[in-house]
Amino acid sequence: DGIRDKLVTGVQTCALPISMLYTLTLWLSVDFNLSDVDAGWWVGFFTLAVSVITFLLGFFADSWGFRITMIAAFAVSMVTRGVMAFAQTKTWALVGLMALTFGYAGGIPVMNTAVRRYSYPSTRPFAFSLYYVTFNVSAAVAGVLVETARELYPQPSVMTLPLLGELPISAYRAVYMVGLVVGALALICSLFLRRHVDVESSGRPEAPGRGVALAFLDRKSTRLNSSH
C-alpha cells in the first residue's frame, strides 16, 4: 500500500500546472489579444487568488479528507484546462483561468501534507525525496514541452477534430491540451488513494477504507477466484 501511494503521488505531482506559469501571460496576449499590462494584471490576480484559496483549502482538507480534496482539485484542473485549451472567447478563457485557482491551490500544499499522511514514519524521508525529485523532473519537462510546442505552432492556426470541427490551436493551447490529459491521469490515480489513513505510534498505518478503483479490482479478483 505504501509503494502504491508513493507511485500515485508521483503521477499526481507531474500533473501540477508548472508549465502554465511559463505561458499564462503569453497565452492571454497571443491568443486573446490582451495587452501585456492587462495580461500581467490577470496573472497577478490569479496568483493572489491561489494564495487565498490555498489558505482556505486547508480547512476543507481537514473536513473532507485529503483523498476527496485531491479528487476535487484534479477534477477541476482537468475541466478548466480543457476550457482554457479550447476557449474561443476571452470571457471563457478568463473563466477557465479563475476556476483553475482551486485546482492549482489543491496541488502543492495539499500534496505536501498528503505525502506525510500517506507514508510510514520509517519511509517518510524517501517519500518526500521521491516527491521532490518528481516535482523537479516535471519542472524540467515543462520547459521542454513549451519550447517544443512553440516549434510546432509558431503562429496560431486552426485544427480539425472529429465531432468538434475546426478549433483554434497555438503553442500555448497545445500545452494546456497536454495538461488536460495529464490531469485526467492524475484524477484517475486519485481514486486509488486510501480513504482514511491513521498512523499508529508503532508506525504502521490503518486503512479502514479503500479507493473506488481498488475496491472494484478486488471484487473482480474475488469473482475470478470463486469461479475456479
Side-chain angles (χ1 to χ4, degrees):
D1 286 339
I3 295 176
R4 182 195 74 208
D5 291 330
K6 292 181 180 66
L7 293 175
V8 168
T9 302
V11 175
Q12 290 173 324
T13 304
C14 293
L16 296 178
I18 301 171
S19 58
M20 291 192 58
L21 296 178
Y22 302 154
T23 61
L24 279 178
T25 303
L26 294 172
W27 169 66
L28 291 172
S29 299
V30 173
D31 288 82
F32 299 99
N33 298 319
L34 268 69
S35 67
D36 291 341
V37 174
D38 290 339
W41 274 108
W42 276 108
V43 174
F45 184 69
F46 170 79
T47 56
L48 176 62
V50 168
S51 300
V52 174
I53 295 176
T54 298
F55 174 76
L56 297 176
L57 203 58
F59 299 100
F60 289 104
D62 291 337
S63 176
W64 297 347
F66 290 98
R67 178 176 175 272
I68 297 300
T69 302
M70 281 196 287
I71 289 175
F74 284 117
V76 171
S77 293
M78 182 186 69
V79 173
T80 53
R81 288 176 188 179
V83 172
M84 294 169 66
F86 298 108
Q88 301 190 39
T89 65
K90 179 175 68 177
T91 300
W92 276 109
L94 295 176
V95 168
L97 177 63
M98 290 298 102
L100 181 64
T101 54
F102 176 82
Y104 199 105
I108 296 175
V110 174
M111 287 188 64
N112 277 332
T113 307
V115 170
R116 180 179 179 85
R117 183 69 62 88
Y118 281 92
S119 61
Y120 295 89
S122 59
T123 61
R124 193 162 293 152
F126 172 74
F128 273 101
S129 297
L130 179 62
Y131 171 67
Y132 288 123
V133 167
T134 308
F135 188 87
N136 290 331
V137 170
S138 300
V141 171
V144 176
L145 172 63
V146 172
E147 291 303 318
T148 302
R150 285 176 175 171
E151 293 178 2
L152 292 175
Y153 301 102
Q155 297 294 332
S157 59
V158 176
M159 67 175 179
T160 302
L161 294 178
L163 301 179
L164 298 178
E166 291 187 348
L167 294 173
I169 182 66
S170 68
Y172 312 112
R173 290 178 185 269
V175 170
Y176 300 154
M177 289 178 189
V178 175
L180 169 63
V181 174
V182 178
L185 294 176
L187 175 60
I188 294 172
C189 287
S190 298
L191 300 176
F192 285 83
L193 290 174
R194 290 170 286 175
R195 288 189 178 88
H196 306 287
V197 177
D198 296 319
V199 178
E200 300 174 336
S201 58
S202 61
R204 296 191 60 82
E206 296 178 344
R210 296 178 65 82
V212 174
L214 286 178
F216 173 77
L217 294 176
D218 287 343
R219 288 196 296 270
K220 296 289 288 185
S221 177
T222 302
R223 291 175 182 174
L224 289 174
N225 292 333
S226 60
S227 64
H228 294 293

